[in-house]
PDB file of all heavy atoms in Angstrom:
ATOM      1  N   GLY Q 271       0.791  -1.220   0.000  1.00 98.00           N
ATOM      2  CA  GLY Q 271       0.000   0.000   0.000  1.00 98.00           C
ATOM      3  C   GLY Q 271       0.823   1.269   0.000  1.00 98.00           C
ATOM      4  O   GLY Q 271       0.274   2.364  -0.166  1.00 98.00           O
ATOM      5  N   GLY Q 272       2.122   1.131   0.159  1.00 98.00           N
ATOM      6  CA  GLY Q 272       2.993   2.297   0.194  1.00 98.00           C
ATOM      7  C   GLY Q 272       3.306   2.845  -1.180  1.00 98.00           C
ATOM      8  O   GLY Q 272       2.798   2.357  -2.205  1.00 98.00           O
ATOM      9  N   SER Q 273       4.165   3.860  -1.187  1.00 98.00           N
ATOM     10  CA  SER Q 273       4.517   4.550  -2.428  1.00 98.00           C
ATOM     11  C   SER Q 273       6.025   4.716  -2.545  1.00 98.00           C
ATOM     12  O   SER Q 273       6.727   4.807  -1.533  1.00 98.00           O
ATOM     13  CB  SER Q 273       3.872   5.936  -2.471  1.00 98.00           C
ATOM     14  OG  SER Q 273       2.465   5.861  -2.451  1.00 98.00           O
ATOM     15  N   LEU Q 274       6.479   4.765  -3.785  1.00 98.00           N
ATOM     16  CA  LEU Q 274       7.863   5.097  -4.104  1.00 98.00           C
ATOM     17  C   LEU Q 274       7.856   5.905  -5.387  1.00 98.00           C
ATOM     18  O   LEU Q 274       6.962   5.730  -6.240  1.00 98.00           O
ATOM     19  CB  LEU Q 274       8.713   3.836  -4.316  1.00 98.00           C
ATOM     20  CG  LEU Q 274       9.128   3.017  -3.102  1.00 98.00           C
ATOM     21  CD1 LEU Q 274       9.802   1.726  -3.558  1.00 98.00           C
ATOM     22  CD2 LEU Q 274      10.061   3.797  -2.196  1.00 98.00           C
ATOM     23  N   ARG Q 275       8.862   6.741  -5.537  1.00 98.00           N
ATOM     24  CA  ARG Q 275       9.056   7.426  -6.810  1.00 98.00           C
ATOM     25  C   ARG Q 275      10.453   7.086  -7.324  1.00 98.00           C
ATOM     26  O   ARG Q 275      11.456   7.405  -6.695  1.00 98.00           O
ATOM     27  CB  ARG Q 275       8.908   8.942  -6.688  1.00 98.00           C
ATOM     28  CG  ARG Q 275       8.918   9.617  -8.055  1.00 98.00           C
ATOM     29  CD  ARG Q 275       8.660  11.107  -8.009  1.00 98.00           C
ATOM     30  NE  ARG Q 275       9.872  11.859  -7.688  1.00 98.00           N
ATOM     31  CZ  ARG Q 275      10.084  13.115  -8.060  1.00 98.00           C
ATOM     32  NH1 ARG Q 275       9.165  13.766  -8.769  1.00 98.00           N
ATOM     33  NH2 ARG Q 275      11.188  13.749  -7.719  1.00 98.00           N
ATOM     34  N   LEU Q 276      10.466   6.450  -8.476  1.00 98.00           N
ATOM     35  CA  LEU Q 276      11.719   6.129  -9.132  1.00 98.00           C
ATOM     36  C   LEU Q 276      12.111   7.256 -10.075  1.00 98.00           C
ATOM     37  O   LEU Q 276      11.251   7.911 -10.676  1.00 98.00           O
ATOM     38  CB  LEU Q 276      11.601   4.826  -9.924  1.00 98.00           C
ATOM     39  CG  LEU Q 276      11.100   3.601  -9.163  1.00 98.00           C
ATOM     40  CD1 LEU Q 276      11.116   2.383 -10.086  1.00 98.00           C
ATOM     41  CD2 LEU Q 276      11.890   3.351  -7.923  1.00 98.00           C
ATOM     42  N   SER Q 277      13.419   7.448 -10.205  1.00 98.00           N
ATOM     43  CA  SER Q 277      13.946   8.438 -11.138  1.00 98.00           C
ATOM     44  C   SER Q 277      14.931   7.758 -12.082  1.00 98.00           C
ATOM     45  O   SER Q 277      15.613   6.811 -11.700  1.00 98.00           O
ATOM     46  CB  SER Q 277      14.665   9.564 -10.400  1.00 98.00           C
ATOM     47  OG  SER Q 277      13.803  10.256  -9.535  1.00 98.00           O
ATOM     48  N   CYS Q 278      14.999   8.266 -13.275  1.00 97.00           N
ATOM     49  CA  CYS Q 278      15.976   7.795 -14.251  1.00 97.00           C
ATOM     50  C   CYS Q 278      16.617   9.032 -14.876  1.00 97.00           C
ATOM     51  O   CYS Q 278      15.949   9.759 -15.621  1.00 97.00           O
ATOM     52  CB  CYS Q 278      15.319   6.933 -15.309  1.00 97.00           C
ATOM     53  SG  CYS Q 278      16.422   6.471 -16.676  1.00 97.00           S
ATOM     54  N   ALA Q 279      17.866   9.245 -14.546  1.00 96.00           N
ATOM     55  CA  ALA Q 279      18.602  10.390 -15.078  1.00 96.00           C
ATOM     56  C   ALA Q 279      19.416   9.942 -16.279  1.00 96.00           C
ATOM     57  O   ALA Q 279      20.099   8.919 -16.232  1.00 96.00           O
ATOM     58  CB  ALA Q 279      19.513  10.968 -14.012  1.00 96.00           C
ATOM     59  N   ALA Q 280      19.325  10.707 -17.358  1.00 93.00           N
ATOM     60  CA  ALA Q 280      19.983  10.335 -18.601  1.00 93.00           C
ATOM     61  C   ALA Q 280      21.027  11.353 -19.006  1.00 93.00           C
ATOM     62  O   ALA Q 280      20.844  12.563 -18.826  1.00 93.00           O
ATOM     63  CB  ALA Q 280      18.953  10.200 -19.717  1.00 93.00           C
ATOM     64  N   SER Q 281      22.116  10.857 -19.542  1.00 90.00           N
ATOM     65  CA  SER Q 281      23.098  11.717 -20.188  1.00 90.00           C
ATOM     66  C   SER Q 281      22.980  11.506 -21.689  1.00 90.00           C
ATOM     67  O   SER Q 281      22.462  10.493 -22.141  1.00 90.00           O
ATOM     68  CB  SER Q 281      24.511  11.366 -19.726  1.00 90.00           C
ATOM     69  OG  SER Q 281      24.834  10.047 -20.114  1.00 90.00           O
ATOM     70  N   GLY Q 282      23.444  12.455 -22.468  1.00 80.00           N
ATOM     71  CA  GLY Q 282      23.335  12.323 -23.906  1.00 80.00           C
ATOM     72  C   GLY Q 282      22.272  13.234 -24.476  1.00 80.00           C
ATOM     73  O   GLY Q 282      21.366  13.665 -23.769  1.00 80.00           O
ATOM     74  N   SER Q 283      22.362  13.462 -25.758  1.00 80.00           N
ATOM     75  CA  SER Q 283      21.514  14.468 -26.394  1.00 80.00           C
ATOM     76  C   SER Q 283      20.192  13.931 -26.910  1.00 80.00           C
ATOM     77  O   SER Q 283      19.370  14.703 -27.377  1.00 80.00           O
ATOM     78  CB  SER Q 283      22.280  15.120 -27.542  1.00 80.00           C
ATOM     79  OG  SER Q 283      22.633  14.119 -28.499  1.00 80.00           O
ATOM     80  N   ILE Q 284      19.977  12.611 -26.831  1.00 82.00           N
ATOM     81  CA  ILE Q 284      18.781  12.061 -27.468  1.00 82.00           C
ATOM     82  C   ILE Q 284      17.588  12.016 -26.534  1.00 82.00           C
ATOM     83  O   ILE Q 284      16.485  11.689 -26.954  1.00 82.00           O
ATOM     84  CB  ILE Q 284      19.043  10.641 -28.019  1.00 82.00           C
ATOM     85  CG1 ILE Q 284      19.253   9.640 -26.883  1.00 82.00           C
ATOM     86  CG2 ILE Q 284      20.208  10.647 -28.981  1.00 82.00           C
ATOM     87  CD1 ILE Q 284      19.277   8.213 -27.349  1.00 82.00           C
ATOM     88  N   PHE Q 285      17.799  12.338 -25.268  1.00 83.00           N
ATOM     89  CA  PHE Q 285      16.732  12.127 -24.282  1.00 83.00           C
ATOM     90  C   PHE Q 285      15.453  12.828 -24.691  1.00 83.00           C
ATOM     91  O   PHE Q 285      14.376  12.220 -24.741  1.00 83.00           O
ATOM     92  CB  PHE Q 285      17.178  12.619 -22.905  1.00 83.00           C
ATOM     93  CG  PHE Q 285      16.124  12.471 -21.842  1.00 83.00           C
ATOM     94  CD1 PHE Q 285      16.007  11.288 -21.133  1.00 83.00           C
ATOM     95  CD2 PHE Q 285      15.239  13.504 -21.562  1.00 83.00           C
ATOM     96  CE1 PHE Q 285      15.030  11.139 -20.161  1.00 83.00           C
ATOM     97  CE2 PHE Q 285      14.258  13.359 -20.593  1.00 83.00           C
ATOM     98  CZ  PHE Q 285      14.158  12.170 -19.890  1.00 83.00           C
ATOM     99  N   SER Q 286      15.530  14.116 -24.977  1.00 80.00           N
ATOM    100  CA  SER Q 286      14.308  14.887 -25.205  1.00 80.00           C
ATOM    101  C   SER Q 286      13.570  14.461 -26.471  1.00 80.00           C
ATOM    102  O   SER Q 286      12.375  14.742 -26.604  1.00 80.00           O
ATOM    103  CB  SER Q 286      14.636  16.381 -25.273  1.00 80.00           C
ATOM    104  OG  SER Q 286      15.520  16.640 -26.340  1.00 80.00           O
ATOM    105  N   SER Q 287      14.243  13.794 -27.376  1.00 81.00           N
ATOM    106  CA  SER Q 287      13.605  13.374 -28.634  1.00 81.00           C
ATOM    107  C   SER Q 287      13.194  11.915 -28.627  1.00 81.00           C
ATOM    108  O   SER Q 287      12.746  11.393 -29.653  1.00 81.00           O
ATOM    109  CB  SER Q 287      14.553  13.621 -29.800  1.00 81.00           C
ATOM    110  OG  SER Q 287      15.728  12.848 -29.668  1.00 81.00           O
ATOM    111  N   SER Q 288      13.343  11.259 -27.485  1.00 89.00           N
ATOM    112  CA  SER Q 288      13.113   9.817 -27.411  1.00 89.00           C
ATOM    113  C   SER Q 288      11.953   9.457 -26.503  1.00 89.00           C
ATOM    114  O   SER Q 288      11.678  10.136 -25.512  1.00 89.00           O
ATOM    115  CB  SER Q 288      14.361   9.112 -26.875  1.00 89.00           C
ATOM    116  OG  SER Q 288      15.478   9.332 -27.691  1.00 89.00           O
ATOM    117  N   ALA Q 289      11.303   8.354 -26.862  1.00 93.00           N
ATOM    118  CA  ALA Q 289      10.381   7.727 -25.929  1.00 93.00           C
ATOM    119  C   ALA Q 289      11.195   7.016 -24.848  1.00 93.00           C
ATOM    120  O   ALA Q 289      12.271   6.477 -25.125  1.00 93.00           O
ATOM    121  CB  ALA Q 289       9.487   6.728 -26.655  1.00 93.00           C
ATOM    122  N   ILE Q 290      10.691   7.041 -23.641  1.00 95.00           N
ATOM    123  CA  ILE Q 290      11.368   6.405 -22.513  1.00 95.00           C
ATOM    124  C   ILE Q 290      10.442   5.352 -21.936  1.00 95.00           C
ATOM    125  O   ILE Q 290       9.231   5.563 -21.839  1.00 95.00           O
ATOM    126  CB  ILE Q 290      11.697   7.429 -21.389  1.00 95.00           C
ATOM    127  CG1 ILE Q 290      12.300   8.704 -21.971  1.00 95.00           C
ATOM    128  CG2 ILE Q 290      12.634   6.795 -20.364  1.00 95.00           C
ATOM    129  CD1 ILE Q 290      13.633   8.527 -22.639  1.00 95.00           C
ATOM    130  N   ARG Q 291      11.017   4.244 -21.549  1.00 97.00           N
ATOM    131  CA  ARG Q 291      10.212   3.150 -21.013  1.00 97.00           C
ATOM    132  C   ARG Q 291      10.764   2.677 -19.674  1.00 97.00           C
ATOM    133  O   ARG Q 291      11.985   2.698 -19.467  1.00 97.00           O
ATOM    134  CB  ARG Q 291      10.185   1.982 -22.005  1.00 97.00           C
ATOM    135  CG  ARG Q 291       9.585   2.362 -23.348  1.00 97.00           C
ATOM    136  CD  ARG Q 291       9.574   1.205 -24.328  1.00 97.00           C
ATOM    137  NE  ARG Q 291      10.896   0.810 -24.774  1.00 97.00           N
ATOM    138  CZ  ARG Q 291      11.128  -0.180 -25.645  1.00 97.00           C
ATOM    139  NH1 ARG Q 291      10.114  -0.871 -26.133  1.00 97.00           N
ATOM    140  NH2 ARG Q 291      12.354  -0.463 -26.006  1.00 97.00           N
ATOM    141  N   TRP Q 292       9.879   2.244 -18.815  1.00 98.00           N
ATOM    142  CA  TRP Q 292      10.247   1.547 -17.582  1.00 98.00           C
ATOM    143  C   TRP Q 292       9.867   0.072 -17.743  1.00 98.00           C
ATOM    144  O   TRP Q 292       8.748  -0.241 -18.148  1.00 98.00           O
ATOM    145  CB  TRP Q 292       9.512   2.113 -16.376  1.00 98.00           C
ATOM    146  CG  TRP Q 292      10.062   3.385 -15.835  1.00 98.00           C
ATOM    147  CD1 TRP Q 292       9.588   4.646 -16.053  1.00 98.00           C
ATOM    148  CD2 TRP Q 292      11.180   3.525 -14.954  1.00 98.00           C
ATOM    149  NE1 TRP Q 292      10.350   5.557 -15.364  1.00 98.00           N
ATOM    150  CE2 TRP Q 292      11.334   4.899 -14.676  1.00 98.00           C
ATOM    151  CE3 TRP Q 292      12.072   2.630 -14.355  1.00 98.00           C
ATOM    152  CZ2 TRP Q 292      12.344   5.398 -13.848  1.00 98.00           C
ATOM    153  CZ3 TRP Q 292      13.078   3.120 -13.543  1.00 98.00           C
ATOM    154  CH2 TRP Q 292      13.197   4.490 -13.289  1.00 98.00           C
ATOM    155  N   PHE Q 293      10.825  -0.780 -17.417  1.00 98.00           N
ATOM    156  CA  PHE Q 293      10.607  -2.215 -17.372  1.00 98.00           C
ATOM    157  C   PHE Q 293      10.846  -2.700 -15.952  1.00 98.00           C
ATOM    158  O   PHE Q 293      11.468  -2.005 -15.141  1.00 98.00           O
ATOM    159  CB  PHE Q 293      11.594  -2.945 -18.298  1.00 98.00           C
ATOM    160  CG  PHE Q 293      11.315  -2.815 -19.757  1.00 98.00           C
ATOM    161  CD1 PHE Q 293      11.636  -1.649 -20.445  1.00 98.00           C
ATOM    162  CD2 PHE Q 293      10.745  -3.859 -20.468  1.00 98.00           C
ATOM    163  CE1 PHE Q 293      11.394  -1.528 -21.812  1.00 98.00           C
ATOM    164  CE2 PHE Q 293      10.501  -3.749 -21.826  1.00 98.00           C
ATOM    165  CZ  PHE Q 293      10.830  -2.589 -22.493  1.00 98.00           C
ATOM    166  N   ARG Q 294      10.407  -3.912 -15.677  1.00 98.00           N
ATOM    167  CA  ARG Q 294      10.754  -4.548 -14.409  1.00 98.00           C
ATOM    168  C   ARG Q 294      10.978  -6.037 -14.619  1.00 98.00           C
ATOM    169  O   ARG Q 294      10.416  -6.634 -15.537  1.00 98.00           O
ATOM    170  CB  ARG Q 294       9.685  -4.314 -13.345  1.00 98.00           C
ATOM    171  CG  ARG Q 294       8.347  -4.989 -13.608  1.00 98.00           C
ATOM    172  CD  ARG Q 294       7.340  -4.552 -12.554  1.00 98.00           C
ATOM    173  NE  ARG Q 294       6.032  -5.184 -12.745  1.00 98.00           N
ATOM    174  CZ  ARG Q 294       4.955  -4.865 -12.048  1.00 98.00           C
ATOM    175  NH1 ARG Q 294       5.024  -3.927 -11.094  1.00 98.00           N
ATOM    176  NH2 ARG Q 294       3.807  -5.480 -12.272  1.00 98.00           N
ATOM    177  N   GLN Q 295      11.817  -6.568 -13.749  1.00 98.00           N
ATOM    178  CA  GLN Q 295      12.143  -7.985 -13.836  1.00 98.00           C
ATOM    179  C   GLN Q 295      12.195  -8.572 -12.431  1.00 98.00           C
ATOM    180  O   GLN Q 295      13.032  -8.168 -11.626  1.00 98.00           O
ATOM    181  CB  GLN Q 295      13.474  -8.203 -14.562  1.00 98.00           C
ATOM    182  CG  GLN Q 295      13.779  -9.655 -14.850  1.00 98.00           C
ATOM    183  CD  GLN Q 295      14.944  -9.819 -15.799  1.00 98.00           C
ATOM    184  OE1 GLN Q 295      15.767  -8.925 -15.980  1.00 98.00           O
ATOM    185  NE2 GLN Q 295      15.007 -10.968 -16.468  1.00 98.00           N
ATOM    186  N   ALA Q 296      11.290  -9.508 -12.191  1.00 97.00           N
ATOM    187  CA  ALA Q 296      11.276 -10.234 -10.923  1.00 97.00           C
ATOM    188  C   ALA Q 296      12.176 -11.457 -11.059  1.00 97.00           C
ATOM    189  O   ALA Q 296      12.430 -11.929 -12.170  1.00 97.00           O
ATOM    190  CB  ALA Q 296       9.853 -10.639 -10.572  1.00 97.00           C
ATOM    191  N   PRO Q 297      12.665 -12.001  -9.935  1.00 92.00           N
ATOM    192  CA  PRO Q 297      13.543 -13.170  -9.993  1.00 92.00           C
ATOM    193  C   PRO Q 297      12.905 -14.327 -10.754  1.00 92.00           C
ATOM    194  O   PRO Q 297      11.758 -14.691 -10.496  1.00 92.00           O
ATOM    195  CB  PRO Q 297      13.755 -13.520  -8.519  1.00 92.00           C
ATOM    196  CG  PRO Q 297      13.550 -12.241  -7.798  1.00 92.00           C
ATOM    197  CD  PRO Q 297      12.482 -11.519  -8.556  1.00 92.00           C
ATOM    198  N   GLY Q 298      13.655 -14.865 -11.704  1.00 95.00           N
ATOM    199  CA  GLY Q 298      13.178 -16.001 -12.461  1.00 95.00           C
ATOM    200  C   GLY Q 298      12.144 -15.697 -13.517  1.00 95.00           C
ATOM    201  O   GLY Q 298      11.605 -16.608 -14.140  1.00 95.00           O
ATOM    202  N   LYS Q 299      11.874 -14.412 -13.739  1.00 97.00           N
ATOM    203  CA  LYS Q 299      10.867 -14.036 -14.727  1.00 97.00           C
ATOM    204  C   LYS Q 299      11.487 -13.159 -15.808  1.00 97.00           C
ATOM    205  O   LYS Q 299      12.586 -12.643 -15.665  1.00 97.00           O
ATOM    206  CB  LYS Q 299       9.707 -13.315 -14.039  1.00 97.00           C
ATOM    207  CG  LYS Q 299       8.943 -14.186 -13.061  1.00 97.00           C
ATOM    208  CD  LYS Q 299       7.698 -13.502 -12.569  1.00 97.00           C
ATOM    209  CE  LYS Q 299       6.886 -14.413 -11.652  1.00 97.00           C
ATOM    210  NZ  LYS Q 299       5.636 -13.759 -11.170  1.00 97.00           N
ATOM    211  N   GLN Q 300      10.748 -12.980 -16.892  1.00 97.00           N
ATOM    212  CA  GLN Q 300      11.232 -12.147 -17.977  1.00 97.00           C
ATOM    213  C   GLN Q 300      11.079 -10.671 -17.611  1.00 97.00           C
ATOM    214  O   GLN Q 300      10.352 -10.324 -16.691  1.00 97.00           O
ATOM    215  CB  GLN Q 300      10.464 -12.450 -19.259  1.00 97.00           C
ATOM    216  CG  GLN Q 300       8.987 -12.064 -19.204  1.00 97.00           C
ATOM    217  CD  GLN Q 300       8.248 -12.421 -20.487  1.00 97.00           C
ATOM    218  OE1 GLN Q 300       8.700 -13.231 -21.282  1.00 97.00           O
ATOM    219  NE2 GLN Q 300       7.103 -11.804 -20.701  1.00 97.00           N
ATOM    220  N   ARG Q 301      11.780  -9.855 -18.366  1.00 98.00           N
ATOM    221  CA  ARG Q 301      11.686  -8.413 -18.165  1.00 98.00           C
ATOM    222  C   ARG Q 301      10.428  -7.913 -18.888  1.00 98.00           C
ATOM    223  O   ARG Q 301      10.270  -8.122 -20.086  1.00 98.00           O
ATOM    224  CB  ARG Q 301      12.937  -7.728 -18.710  1.00 98.00           C
ATOM    225  CG  ARG Q 301      13.066  -6.278 -18.335  1.00 98.00           C
ATOM    226  CD  ARG Q 301      14.440  -5.728 -18.707  1.00 98.00           C
ATOM    227  NE  ARG Q 301      15.520  -6.384 -17.959  1.00 98.00           N
ATOM    228  CZ  ARG Q 301      16.787  -5.979 -17.997  1.00 98.00           C
ATOM    229  NH1 ARG Q 301      17.118  -4.915 -18.729  1.00 98.00           N
ATOM    230  NH2 ARG Q 301      17.705  -6.615 -17.308  1.00 98.00           N
ATOM    231  N   ASP Q 302       9.567  -7.247 -18.149  1.00 98.00           N
ATOM    232  CA  ASP Q 302       8.274  -6.811 -18.685  1.00 98.00           C
ATOM    233  C   ASP Q 302       8.184  -5.297 -18.736  1.00 98.00           C
ATOM    234  O   ASP Q 302       8.665  -4.597 -17.838  1.00 98.00           O
ATOM    235  CB  ASP Q 302       7.117  -7.336 -17.822  1.00 98.00           C
ATOM    236  CG  ASP Q 302       6.956  -8.832 -17.916  1.00 98.00           C
ATOM    237  OD1 ASP Q 302       7.220  -9.393 -18.999  1.00 98.00           O
ATOM    238  OD2 ASP Q 302       6.546  -9.441 -16.909  1.00 98.00           O
ATOM    239  N   LEU Q 303       7.503  -4.809 -19.757  1.00 98.00           N
ATOM    240  CA  LEU Q 303       7.252  -3.377 -19.882  1.00 98.00           C
ATOM    241  C   LEU Q 303       6.210  -2.943 -18.857  1.00 98.00           C
ATOM    242  O   LEU Q 303       5.151  -3.564 -18.739  1.00 98.00           O
ATOM    243  CB  LEU Q 303       6.766  -3.061 -21.296  1.00 98.00           C
ATOM    244  CG  LEU Q 303       6.431  -1.609 -21.593  1.00 98.00           C
ATOM    245  CD1 LEU Q 303       7.664  -0.727 -21.473  1.00 98.00           C
ATOM    246  CD2 LEU Q 303       5.830  -1.497 -22.997  1.00 98.00           C
ATOM    247  N   VAL Q 304       6.508  -1.872 -18.144  1.00 98.00           N
ATOM    248  CA  VAL Q 304       5.606  -1.343 -17.124  1.00 98.00           C
ATOM    249  C   VAL Q 304       4.893  -0.090 -17.622  1.00 98.00           C
ATOM    250  O   VAL Q 304       3.685   0.044 -17.494  1.00 98.00           O
ATOM    251  CB  VAL Q 304       6.387  -1.023 -15.836  1.00 98.00           C
ATOM    252  CG1 VAL Q 304       5.490  -0.340 -14.811  1.00 98.00           C
ATOM    253  CG2 VAL Q 304       7.010  -2.276 -15.262  1.00 98.00           C
ATOM    254  N   ALA Q 305       5.671   0.832 -18.179  1.00 98.00           N
ATOM    255  CA  ALA Q 305       5.094   2.105 -18.609  1.00 98.00           C
ATOM    256  C   ALA Q 305       6.012   2.740 -19.640  1.00 98.00           C
ATOM    257  O   ALA Q 305       7.211   2.462 -19.669  1.00 98.00           O
ATOM    258  CB  ALA Q 305       4.918   3.050 -17.421  1.00 98.00           C
ATOM    259  N   SER Q 306       5.428   3.593 -20.459  1.00 98.00           N
ATOM    260  CA  SER Q 306       6.210   4.314 -21.456  1.00 98.00           C
ATOM    261  C   SER Q 306       5.665   5.724 -21.612  1.00 98.00           C
ATOM    262  O   SER Q 306       4.493   5.992 -21.322  1.00 98.00           O
ATOM    263  CB  SER Q 306       6.195   3.588 -22.798  1.00 98.00           C
ATOM    264  OG  SER Q 306       4.871   3.536 -23.320  1.00 98.00           O
ATOM    265  N   ILE Q 307       6.544   6.609 -22.081  1.00 97.00           N
ATOM    266  CA  ILE Q 307       6.150   7.986 -22.337  1.00 97.00           C
ATOM    267  C   ILE Q 307       6.854   8.453 -23.595  1.00 97.00           C
ATOM    268  O   ILE Q 307       8.061   8.276 -23.752  1.00 97.00           O
ATOM    269  CB  ILE Q 307       6.455   8.898 -21.119  1.00 97.00           C
ATOM    270  CG1 ILE Q 307       5.915  10.306 -21.339  1.00 97.00           C
ATOM    271  CG2 ILE Q 307       7.949   8.898 -20.786  1.00 97.00           C
ATOM    272  CD1 ILE Q 307       5.888  11.143 -20.073  1.00 97.00           C
ATOM    273  N   THR Q 308       6.086   9.026 -24.517  1.00 94.00           N
ATOM    274  CA  THR Q 308       6.670   9.510 -25.764  1.00 94.00           C
ATOM    275  C   THR Q 308       7.347  10.852 -25.536  1.00 94.00           C
ATOM    276  O   THR Q 308       7.219  11.469 -24.476  1.00 94.00           O
ATOM    277  CB  THR Q 308       5.596   9.671 -26.842  1.00 94.00           C
ATOM    278  OG1 THR Q 308       4.722  10.753 -26.455  1.00 94.00           O
ATOM    279  CG2 THR Q 308       4.792   8.387 -27.008  1.00 94.00           C
ATOM    280  N   ARG Q 309       8.016  11.341 -26.567  1.00 91.00           N
ATOM    281  CA  ARG Q 309       8.676  12.637 -26.437  1.00 91.00           C
ATOM    282  C   ARG Q 309       7.648  13.748 -26.275  1.00 91.00           C
ATOM    283  O   ARG Q 309       7.949  14.793 -25.691  1.00 91.00           O
ATOM    284  CB  ARG Q 309       9.567  12.921 -27.639  1.00 91.00           C
ATOM    285  CG  ARG Q 309       8.848  12.981 -28.969  1.00 91.00           C
ATOM    286  CD  ARG Q 309       9.842  13.225 -30.099  1.00 91.00           C
ATOM    287  NE  ARG Q 309       9.194  13.339 -31.393  1.00 91.00           N
ATOM    288  CZ  ARG Q 309       9.850  13.581 -32.516  1.00 91.00           C
ATOM    289  NH1 ARG Q 309      11.165  13.717 -32.494  1.00 91.00           N
ATOM    290  NH2 ARG Q 309       9.193  13.676 -33.655  1.00 91.00           N
ATOM    291  N   GLY Q 310       6.435  13.495 -26.736  1.00 92.00           N
ATOM    292  CA  GLY Q 310       5.373  14.483 -26.598  1.00 92.00           C
ATOM    293  C   GLY Q 310       4.587  14.362 -25.312  1.00 92.00           C
ATOM    294  O   GLY Q 310       3.696  15.176 -25.041  1.00 92.00           O
ATOM    295  N   GLY Q 311       4.893  13.323 -24.513  1.00 94.00           N
ATOM    296  CA  GLY Q 311       4.244  13.176 -23.221  1.00 94.00           C
ATOM    297  C   GLY Q 311       3.090  12.191 -23.179  1.00 94.00           C
ATOM    298  O   GLY Q 311       2.461  12.029 -22.129  1.00 94.00           O
ATOM    299  N   ALA Q 312       2.813  11.519 -24.288  1.00 97.00           N
ATOM    300  CA  ALA Q 312       1.755  10.505 -24.270  1.00 97.00           C
ATOM    301  C   ALA Q 312       2.246   9.290 -23.487  1.00 97.00           C
ATOM    302  O   ALA Q 312       3.398   8.874 -23.624  1.00 97.00           O
ATOM    303  CB  ALA Q 312       1.382  10.107 -25.694  1.00 97.00           C
ATOM    304  N   THR Q 313       1.368   8.734 -22.680  1.00 98.00           N
ATOM    305  CA  THR Q 313       1.768   7.646 -21.787  1.00 98.00           C
ATOM    306  C   THR Q 313       0.989   6.366 -22.063  1.00 98.00           C
ATOM    307  O   THR Q 313      -0.117   6.393 -22.623  1.00 98.00           O
ATOM    308  CB  THR Q 313       1.553   8.045 -20.318  1.00 98.00           C
ATOM    309  OG1 THR Q 313       0.173   8.352 -20.110  1.00 98.00           O
ATOM    310  CG2 THR Q 313       2.394   9.259 -19.957  1.00 98.00           C
ATOM    311  N   ASN Q 314       1.591   5.270 -21.657  1.00 98.00           N
ATOM    312  CA  ASN Q 314       0.950   3.972 -21.782  1.00 98.00           C
ATOM    313  C   ASN Q 314       1.411   3.111 -20.614  1.00 98.00           C
ATOM    314  O   ASN Q 314       2.562   3.248 -20.157  1.00 98.00           O
ATOM    315  CB  ASN Q 314       1.313   3.309 -23.110  1.00 98.00           C
ATOM    316  CG  ASN Q 314       0.380   2.179 -23.467  1.00 98.00           C
ATOM    317  OD1 ASN Q 314      -0.772   2.169 -23.065  1.00 98.00           O
ATOM    318  ND2 ASN Q 314       0.877   1.225 -24.236  1.00 98.00           N
TER     319      ASN Q 314
END
């Protein structure tokens, strides 16, 4: 029931023009897509 805020800091010039995605991987499982955001701010 608690909360956390994760951050991802990027170096390089492509950040602002790129879609960014968060994945997660539990032990023994595949890496799964959690969320994504386009360069324009659309989310999934």
Side-chain angles (χ1 to χ4, degrees):
S273 298
L274 285 173
R275 188 175 82 153
L276 306 183
S277 299
C278 173
S281 63
S283 60
I284 68 170
F285 179 87
S286 61
S287 63
S288 300
I290 314 295
R291 300 179 291 180
W292 281 100
F293 287 77
R294 67 186 181 187
Q295 188 169 20
K299 296 189 177 181
Q300 66 182 18
R301 191 170 296 188
D302 291 327
L303 179 63
V304 174
S306 63
I307 186 166
T308 68
R309 61 182 182 178
T313 59
N314 197 28

